[in-house]
């Protein structure tokens, strides 16, 4: 199945403790069906001090399931599903809510 969400997409969280939060996708793992979203699903990791870093408690993003994310429609600004269609012989993604093409 083709990846409907890609790195750099603006998404909104549909379920979980961060429901309603928006962010940009930093990394997608399509085989696992998960993604890292900026500022969403933050966890605290303890890091040992090294010559390069101070160490201590570091907050960073954890993965979130792709089924809990929805693309933000470029036209309406709300969550939308993603579809595929062919334009000029090229496969592109589009927002199902407004019909707006997502890929430039």
């Amino acid at each position: 199945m083709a990846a409907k969400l890609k790195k750099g997409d603006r998404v909104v969280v549909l379920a979980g403790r961060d429901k309603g939060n928006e962010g940009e996708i930093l990394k997608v793992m399509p085989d696992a069906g998960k993604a890292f979203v900026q500022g969403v699903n933050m966890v605290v990791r303890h890091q040992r001090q090294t010559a390069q870093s101070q160490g201590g408690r570091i907050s960073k993003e954890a993965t979130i399931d792709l089924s809990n994310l929805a693309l933000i429609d470029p036209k309406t600004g709300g969550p939308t599903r993603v579809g595929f269609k062919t334009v000029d012989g090229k496969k592109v993604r589009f927002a199902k809510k407004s019909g707006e093409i997502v890929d430039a």
Side-chain angles (χ1 to χ4, degrees), residues 43-48 54-60:
V43 294
V44 175
R45 293 287 176 251
H46 295 76
Q47 187 170 352
R48 185 182 303 269
Q54 175 66 30
R57 294 168 45 113
I58 309 295
S59 290
K60 58 193 231 179

Side-chain angles (χ1 to χ4, degrees), residues 83-94:
F84 293 96
K85 63 182 174 183
T86 306
V87 177
D88 299 327
K90 201 172 182 189
K91 185 177 177 182
V92 295
R93 298 182 301 155
F94 73 98

Side-chain angles (χ1 to χ4, degrees), residues 19-89:
K19 180 178 181 177
N21 289 357
E22 297 179 5
E24 185 176 320
I25 294 181
L26 302 173
K27 181 180 178 182
V28 179
M29 299 180 291
D31 294 337
K34 296 188 179 285
F36 288 95
V37 181
Q38 187 175 20
V40 173
N41 199 20
M42 299 297 286
V43 294
V44 175
R45 293 287 176 251
H46 295 76
Q47 187 170 352
R48 185 182 303 269
Q49 184 174 355
T50 64
Q52 289 81 27
S53 70
Q54 175 66 30
R57 294 168 45 113
I58 309 295
S59 290
K60 58 193 231 179
E61 293 89 0
T63 59
I64 187 166
D65 205 87
L66 289 175
S67 65
N68 293 331
L69 300 174
L71 184 72
I72 294 178
D73 194 322
K75 198 171 204 176
T76 64
T80 183
R81 291 179 297 149
V82 180
F84 293 96
K85 63 182 174 183
T86 306
V87 177
D88 299 327

